[in-house]
Amino acid sequence: MNENTRQKNLAEATASVWDAFVIVVGMLKGGTGKTTSAWFIALYYAVVLGLPTLLLDADASSQSAYDWFKVAQAEGFEIPANLVIERYPFDDLAEYIRTKRAEFGAIVVDAGGGSARLFHEAVTEANLLLVPVAPTKIERRKLVATFEEAERAAARNERGVTAHVVLVKADDRTSLPRTAKDKLLDPPGGEGIGPDRNEPFPLADTVIHSWVHYMEAFGEIPTELSEYAELVKELTAA
Ligand SMILES: Nc1ncnc2c1ncn2[C@@H]1O[C@H](COP(=O)(O)OP(=O)(O)O)[C@@H](O)[C@H]1O
Ligand SMILES: [Mg+2]
């Protein structure tokens, strides 16, 4: 065996140690907190769990997860060495995720809100789908369309994917979070999931509140992961 072959074999051996846990953050609407959620979750996997983590920005319309990285880099924030951030808003996203599974312990995909096609692709490879939704009527309406697409994609997912809705930007000084929770767990006809669109959404117990800490996190590497640490623990508990 020559030196080149030996090195290649070693590289292949180390590269294939992993089979990444793939978390897709998606919702077919802009501004719902996808990019913020994707960043905090990726930091949890990289920094708290210490796993080689890939944060994939698959948002075709805006590139904010990647922008976040660029700004953080420019401002001198130290990017965790085991966190890789890439932009991949392309139609063969599922295939790309598949090829990256062996290199990372966790892959977090910011699926964006503008492309049902990219969202669909990502969900076909997801282990976990996280749908962040703010407690407003308009967001709840978009949720139905998001789950319809997710159900079609899940049917093509060979590993089985679990989906969770997480309430974000919740301001407990208003009645909105309470109302949203009630509507998600006991949806009026046509506004739920399942064949008759009347079944409850799989709502996470952990709530992400409307905090300045999250607003100001863009372009930084926050060390306080706050409610997102609780969220990941909740959703990955056996
Ligand atoms: N939990 C939160 N509390 C307050 N503001 C938030 C929260 N999450 C996100 N935001 C803000 O809402 C806006 C949209 O969030 P972003 O993560 O970019 O959404 P998306 O990627 O879905 O478009 C940003 O200005 C962001 O700072
Ligand atoms: Mg975004």
Side-chain angles (χ1 to χ4, degrees):
M1 180 159 63
N2 72 30
E3 190 59 19
N4 276 344
T5 321
R6 201 178 68 85
Q7 277 178 4
K8 189 155 176 267
N9 287 345
L10 276 176
E12 276 166 4
T14 39
S16 60
V17 167
W18 298 103
D19 180 23
F21 188 71
V22 177
I23 299 174
V24 171
V25 183
M27 161 77 161
L28 296 176
K29 182 181 181 305
T32 75
K34 293 179 295 292
T35 299
T36 306
S37 299
W39 257 98
F40 273 81
I41 292 166
L43 284 169
Y44 182 82
Y45 276 92
V47 178
V48 179
L49 299 184
L51 292 171
T53 302
L54 174 65
L55 173 55
L56 266 190
D57 183 348
D59 192 336
S61 45
S62 77
Q63 45 178 308
S64 44
Y66 194 72
D67 287 348
W68 183 316
F69 161 62
K70 283 293 174 195
V71 171
Q73 220 180 19
E75 299 202 343
F77 283 93
E78 197 180 321
I79 317 290
N82 57 337
L83 176 63
V84 175
I85 301 101
E86 285 182 1
R87 212 174 160 243
Y88 203 87
F90 306 115
D91 284 353
D92 59 344
L93 178 61
E95 175 64 33
Y96 192 70
I97 295 170
R98 226 169 6 253
T99 64
K100 289 289 166 185
R101 272 190 193 271
E103 291 173 41
F104 294 93
I107 299 177
V108 181
V109 184
D110 177 352
S115 167
R117 165 99 199 243
L118 289 175
F119 173 73
H120 182 106
E121 281 288 299
V123 173
T124 64
E125 278 300 312
N127 296 87
L128 195 151
L129 167 64
L130 190 72
V131 184
V133 60
T136 64
K137 216 180 252 179
I138 177 94
E139 296 233 338
R140 279 204 322 274
R141 291 176 60 93
K142 297 287 179 182
L143 201 51
V144 174
T146 300
F147 266 77
E148 280 174 0
E149 194 60 55
E151 279 165 19
R152 284 191 288 272
R156 296 179 49 218
N157 185 311
E158 287 168 6
R159 298 170 179 248
V161 51
T162 54
H164 301 274
V165 173
V166 59
L167 210 54
V168 299
K169 302 192 199 183
D171 181 350
D172 287 339
R173 293 168 305 180
T174 72
S175 60
L176 291 174
R178 184 70 258 164
T179 307
K181 235 180 216 173
D182 291 345
K183 289 263 162 57
L184 292 171
L185 294 176
D186 187 12
E191 291 180 28
I193 58 173
D196 298 322
R197 300 272 166 261
N198 59 1
E199 287 167 30
F201 285 95
L203 183 63
D205 289 333
T206 307
V207 170
I208 308 294
H209 285 93
S210 177
W211 285 350
V212 173
H213 176 63
Y214 299 124
M215 290 179 209
E216 293 194 331
F218 180 88
E220 302 190 357
I221 304 295
T223 50
E224 178 50 71
L225 302 180
S226 314
E227 295 160 323
Y228 280 101
E230 295 312 310
L231 179 67
V232 178
K233 278 187 232 162
E234 179 195 337
L235 300 188
T236 55

